[in-house]
C-alpha cells in the first residue's frame, strides 16, 4: 500500500459552470448522497465552509490550509481524506491557487440514515471482536488514502457524474464498500496511534515490533494470539482489511523507514527491519511506498 494514493482529477468547470474564482461549486445529487466539486482559481484566505451532513472530503489537486473548530491549522494535500460529522465549522486558505493551477477538492455528503444503515448491518452480521461496535471515529478524521480507498472513491465519483440510468443503485453498492474500507482504515489508524480497543490486535502489534528482526510466520502469530489460523485471519481481514502476514510486511516497511532516516543505509535498514534479501526489500519497498529506499532517503533529507 503506497503512503499516498491520489484521486483522479475530475472534469473542471466550463463556461457558465464557473461563477466564482473561490470555491466554485458544482453538485451532483443522488437519493442520499451528494458529490460537491470545489475549485479555486486565486490565492484566498479563511474561506468559510460547513456541511449539514457527514462529509468525506478528498483533496484532488493543489494545496489547502485547513482551520477546523478548536484545532491547530494543518496542510491538506492530494492523497488525503478528511471525514467530518455534520455542522463542523471550517475555514480554508488557498496559498497557491492560480488560474493556471487551480485547486480541486471533492466533498461527498451522506445522509445520516444512510451511514447508520451500513453501520447497523455490519454490527449485526459482521460484528467486531471483543464487543466493540463499528462506528466512524470523529477523532480519526484525517486519513491517507489507501489504494483500496482511492480506487473506490474514483469509482463512486465516476458513477455519480455519469448519465447511467442505474447510477443510484451502482452508487449505493460502491458506497457500502467504500464505507467498509473507511472503517477498516480507521481501525488500522487506531491501532497505530494506540487507540484500538481490540486487545488481541494490540498484543500482536507489540509482539511483531519486539520480534521484527526475527522470522515471523502465521503459525507464530497463532500461538501469540492463542487463536486458530482461521479465526486470526478472519479478525485481521474483517477489522483491518488485510491478512496477518500483510500486516507484518507493513510493520517491517514502517521500521525500515525509521532506520533509513537514521542510518541512510539501505542494506542495514533491510536487515534491521527483518528482511533477509536486499533485492527483494528494494522491490517490495518501491511497490508499497512508490519509490526505492534510496530515493526515499534523498526526498526525506532534502525536505
Amino acid at each position: 500500500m503506497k503512503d499516498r494514493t491520489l484521486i483522479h482529477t475530475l472534469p473542471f468547470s466550463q463556461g457558465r459552470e464557473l461563477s466564482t474564482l473561490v470555491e466554485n461549486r458544482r453538485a451532483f445529487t443522488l437519493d442520499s448522497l451528494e458529490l460537491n466539486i470545489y475549485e479555486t482559481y486565486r490565492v484566498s484566505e479563511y474561506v468559510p465552509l460547513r456541511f449539514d451532513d457527514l462529509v468525506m472530503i478528498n483533496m484532488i489537486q493543489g494545496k489547502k490550509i485547513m482551520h477546523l473548530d478548536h484545532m491547530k491549522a494543518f496542510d491538506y494535500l492530494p492523497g488525503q481524506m478528511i471525514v467530518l460529522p455534520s455542522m463542523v465549522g471550517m475555514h480554508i486558505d488557498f496559498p497557491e491557487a492560480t488560474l493556471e493551477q487551480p485547486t480541486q477538492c471533492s466533498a461527498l455528503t451522506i445522509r445520516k440514515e444512510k451511514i447508520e444503515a451500513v453501520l447497523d448491518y455490519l454490527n449485526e452480521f459482521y460484528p467486531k471482536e471483543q464487543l466493540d461496535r463499528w462506528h466512524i471515529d470523529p477523532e480519526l478524521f484525517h486519513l491517507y488514502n489507501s489504494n483500496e480507498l482511492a480506487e473506490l472513491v474514483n469509482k463512486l465519483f465516476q458513477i455519480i457524474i455519469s448519465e447511467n440510468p442505474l447510477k443510484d443503485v451502482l452508487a449505493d453498492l460502491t458506497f457500502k464498500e467504500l464505507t467498509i474500507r473507511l472503517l477498516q482504515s480507521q481501525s488500522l489508524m487506531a491501532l497505530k496511534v494506540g487507540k484500538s480497543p481490540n486487545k488481541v490486535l494490540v498484543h500482536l502489534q507489540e509482539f511483531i515490533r519486539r520480534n521484527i528482526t526475527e522470522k515471523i510466520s502465521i503459525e507464530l502469530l497463532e500461538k501469540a494470539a492463542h487463536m486458530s489460523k482461521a479465526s486470526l485471519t478472519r479478525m485481521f481481514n474483517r477489522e483491518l482489511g488485510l491478512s496477518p502476514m500483510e500486516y507484518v510486511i507493513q510493520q517491517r516497511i514502517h521500521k525500515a523507514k525509521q532506520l533509513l532516516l537514521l542510518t541512510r543505509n539501505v542494506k542495514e535498514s533491510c536487515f534491521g527491519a527483518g528482511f533477509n534479501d536486499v533485492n527483494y526489500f528494494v522491490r517490495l519497498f518501491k511497490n508499497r511506498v512508490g519509490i526505492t529506499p534510496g530515493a526515499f532517503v534523498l526526498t526525506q533529507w532534502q525536505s
Side-chain angles (χ1 to χ4, degrees):
M1 181 176 64
K2 291 182 175 59
D3 287 352
R4 184 181 301 173
T5 307
L6 304 183
I7 304 300
H8 296 159
T9 302
L10 294 165
F12 277 83
S13 301
Q14 300 292 326
R16 294 181 180 179
E17 292 180 322
L18 185 59
S19 59
T20 175
L21 296 181
V22 179
E23 288 291 69
N24 185 74
R25 171 179 173 266
R26 287 173 294 150
F28 300 83
T29 304
L30 300 183
D31 183 35
S32 299
L33 301 172
E34 182 175 81
L35 173 62
N36 300 275
I37 304 174
Y38 291 94
E39 298 155 9
T40 294
Y41 294 82
R42 64 176 174 84
V43 172
S44 309
E45 293 184 348
Y46 221 59
V47 179
L49 191 61
R50 188 188 300 265
F51 295 96
D52 295 334
D53 296 303
L54 183 143
V55 61
M56 298 180 186
I57 304 173
N58 273 277
M59 195 66 195
I60 300 175
Q61 177 174 298
K63 174 183 176 179
K64 294 183 180 182
I65 300 175
M66 302 293 292
H67 306 263
L68 301 183
D69 289 344
H70 313 299
M71 288 191 60
K72 184 179 179 181
F74 59 91
D75 290 350
Y76 188 36
L77 302 168
Q80 300 177 11
M81 176 189 289
I82 296 175
V83 183
L84 297 175
S86 62
M87 303 309 293
V88 172
M90 65 188 86
H91 290 82
I92 309 168
D93 299 339
F94 301 87
E96 301 173 357
T98 65
L99 287 172
E100 294 75 24
Q101 292 293 326
T103 66
Q104 187 181 69
C105 178
S106 68
L108 181 72
T109 59
I110 305 116
R111 294 285 297 275
K112 179 181 178 181
E113 297 80 5
K114 189 171 188 67
I115 197 74
E116 286 180 347
V118 177
L119 294 173
D120 288 345
Y121 178 83
L122 289 172
N123 284 317
E124 181 176 358
F125 295 103
Y126 300 94
K128 298 178 75 172
E129 300 288 335
Q130 303 182 6
L131 303 180
D132 184 33
R133 291 181 61 80
W134 291 107
H135 68 284
I136 293 179
D137 191 333
E139 295 186 15
L140 302 176
F141 67 91
H142 191 182
L143 307 164
Y144 284 97
N145 286 326
S146 64
N147 286 337
E148 295 79 10
L149 268 179
E151 287 173 4
L152 288 166
V153 169
N154 285 325
K155 180 180 178 181
L156 181 59
F157 289 178
Q158 291 306 312
I159 291 171
I160 292 175
I161 67 176
S162 76
E163 299 297 330
N164 192 318
L166 296 177
K167 67 179 181 180
D168 281 276
V169 177
L170 296 172
D172 181 65
L173 294 171
T174 304
F175 172 75
K176 289 175 180 175
E177 187 176 358
L178 173 61
T179 301
I180 293 169
R181 287 296 185 183
L182 171 63
L183 293 168
Q184 290 171 334
S185 294
Q186 283 199 327
S187 293
L188 193 59
M189 180 184 288
L191 184 60
K192 181 178 180 180
V193 301
K195 282 194 57 182
S196 176
N198 189 316
K199 294 180 181 179
V200 176
L201 287 175
V202 172
H203 170 67
L204 288 175
Q205 176 178 250
E206 291 305 314
F207 177 82
I208 293 167
R209 287 176 177 173
R210 289 196 308 269
N211 297 278
I212 198 73
T213 59
E214 307 298 324
K215 181 179 179 180
I216 301 176
S217 64
I218 187 68
E219 292 76 19
L220 191 61
L221 294 178
E222 291 172 40
K223 292 179 181 178
H226 304 290
M227 297 175 71
S228 68
K229 180 178 180 180
S231 297
L232 182 69
T233 301
R234 182 172 59 250
M235 179 182 66
F236 268 85
N237 284 333
R238 180 173 297 181
E239 299 202 20
L240 304 182
L242 42 78
S243 70
M245 296 312 297
E246 173 61 26
Y247 182 73
V248 173
I249 290 174
Q250 289 191 11
Q251 291 299 294
R252 292 196 193 281
I253 292 290
H254 177 69
K255 180 65 175 181
K257 287 181 180 179
Q258 294 176 326
L259 293 172
L260 284 166
L261 294 177
L262 286 173
T263 67
R264 290 189 264 184
N265 186 298
V266 173
K267 184 176 181 180
E268 187 176 334
S269 300
C270 166
F271 295 119
F275 296 101
N276 55 22
D277 182 284
V278 176
N279 290 329
Y280 170 75
F281 166 64
V282 172
R283 291 196 304 272
L284 184 67
F285 192 96
K286 184 176 181 180
N287 177 264
R288 302 307 173 86
V289 182
I291 55 177
T292 65
F296 174 80
V297 172
L298 287 175
T299 57
Q300 296 300 311
W301 280 90
Q302 288 172 353
S303 60

